[in-house]
Amino acid sequence: DIQMTQSPSTLSASVGDRVTITCRASQSISSWLAWYRQKPGKAPKLLMFKASSLESGVPSRFSGSGSGTEFTLTISSLQPDDFATYYCQQYDTYSSWTFGQGTKVEIK
Amino acid sequence: EVQLVESGGGLVQPGGSLRLSCAASGFTLNNYWMSWVRQAPGKGLEWVASIKQDGSEIYYVDSVKGRFTMSRDNAKNSVHLQMNSLRAEDTAVYYCARGGLRYAFDIWGQGTKVTVSS
């Protein structure tokens, strides 16, 4: 099975900061990578799909890049609504759809 | 409005069974893979199962194989997860999500809580 590893596990930042989260796959997944944001007690929300495509309605401060095994999610200017946990997910393989362990973005 | 609404969660004893349901509205269910994802208390997201549009392919995480069965009824716009031989480690919020093979999980339900405890 493909393993997904996110870094860092926790990130402390301030409103207005540029933030980058990294996700590594244990084998190539081409660009079949998604990013989600989850707030406490709520369902995850899709932010990016196919590594770099912005989901409809998601603010343009979010961007994604990468292919193969290394991917990044960047928030260009952190907003109060962005303090949450972020997950990457591969959806390439037929038999499993693995999530990363999550990155919690905290207020500095 | 496109939405998914889960139901069927609750408290069950170890070894017991529960059947979760997910009602879809606002889109044509039979055009999409559907999936279940769970989240144990204080933990991350874990993919549980996915089913192809026509139900001909179903995949499960290893930890639930042989115990959980995912199904769908496109005519009734619903997806189900039959959970048998439940264990304490199955305790989680279970989310229904639209998505699967090469399609990101773009619509999520609000989740239904399953607690396995004596």
Side-chain angles (χ1 to χ4, degrees):
Chain A
D1 287 357
I2 298 175
Q3 307 302 317
M4 306 300 293
T5 304
Q6 285 181 236
S7 61
S9 296
T10 306
L11 188 160
S12 296
S14 302
V15 172
D17 284 354
R18 181 181 181 89
V19 165
T20 298
I21 300 169
T22 298
C23 180
R24 289 188 175 88
S26 59
Q27 65 189 69
S28 178
I29 56 170
S30 184
S31 296
W32 301 109
L33 185 101
W35 289 98
Y36 302 87
R37 179 177 72 183
Q38 186 182 32
K39 298 179 184 178
K42 300 294 186 182
K45 174 185 168 61
L46 178 66
L47 301 174
M48 312 289 305
F49 62 96
K50 236 183 158 187
S52 60
S53 296
L54 191 69
E55 173 71 350
S56 176
V58 173
S60 59
R61 64 180 181 271
F62 291 93
S63 63
S65 65
S67 66
T69 61
E70 188 146 342
F71 303 86
T72 59
L73 173 72
T74 299
I75 308 172
S76 60
S77 178
L78 201 64
Q79 298 302 299
D81 198 39
D82 300 333
F83 292 99
T85 300
Y86 293 80
Y87 295 92
C88 64
Q89 180 209 24
Q90 67 83 14
Y91 55 106
D92 177 42
T93 56
Y94 251 102
S95 59
S96 68
W97 284 260
T98 328
F99 289 90
Q101 81 278 16
T103 295
K104 185 175 183 180
V105 177
E106 298 181 328
I107 299 174
K108 192 172 184 180
Chain B
E1 181 189 5
V2 174
Q3 67 174 353
L4 298 170
V5 178
E6 302 96 335
S7 60
L11 173 64
V12 62
Q13 292 188 337
S17 299
L18 275 178
R19 178 177 166 88
L20 305 185
S21 295
C22 171
S25 59
F27 66 98
T28 303
L29 185 66
N30 61 16
N31 286 343
Y32 296 92
W33 279 78
M34 295 295 294
S35 299
W36 287 95
V37 175
R38 67 184 178 184
Q39 188 168 38
K43 302 297 184 182
L45 302 173
E46 180 184 35
W47 167 76
V48 175
S50 294
I51 186 168
K52 194 177 180 179
Q53 288 91 332
D54 61 359
S56 61
E57 295 179 36
I58 309 172
Y59 300 97
Y60 302 94
V61 68
D62 284 348
S63 59
V64 309
K65 283 179 183 174
R67 302 188 299 122
F68 289 13
T69 303
M70 186 175 184
S71 61
R72 64 191 297 159
D73 185 337
N74 290 333
K76 293 185 178 180
N77 294 313
S78 61
V79 176
H80 305 280
L81 187 68
Q82 177 67 43
M83 306 188 296
N84 298 331
S85 302
L86 282 161
R87 305 167 180 167
E89 54 265 35
D90 296 318
T91 294
V93 174
Y94 285 72
Y95 295 101
C96 174
R98 186 175 82 174
L101 182 66
R102 298 189 170 173
Y103 193 94
F105 295 8
D106 64 344
I107 304 297
W108 295 67
Q110 84 287 355
T112 187
K113 187 175 180 181
V114 172
T115 302
V116 184
S117 175
S118 55

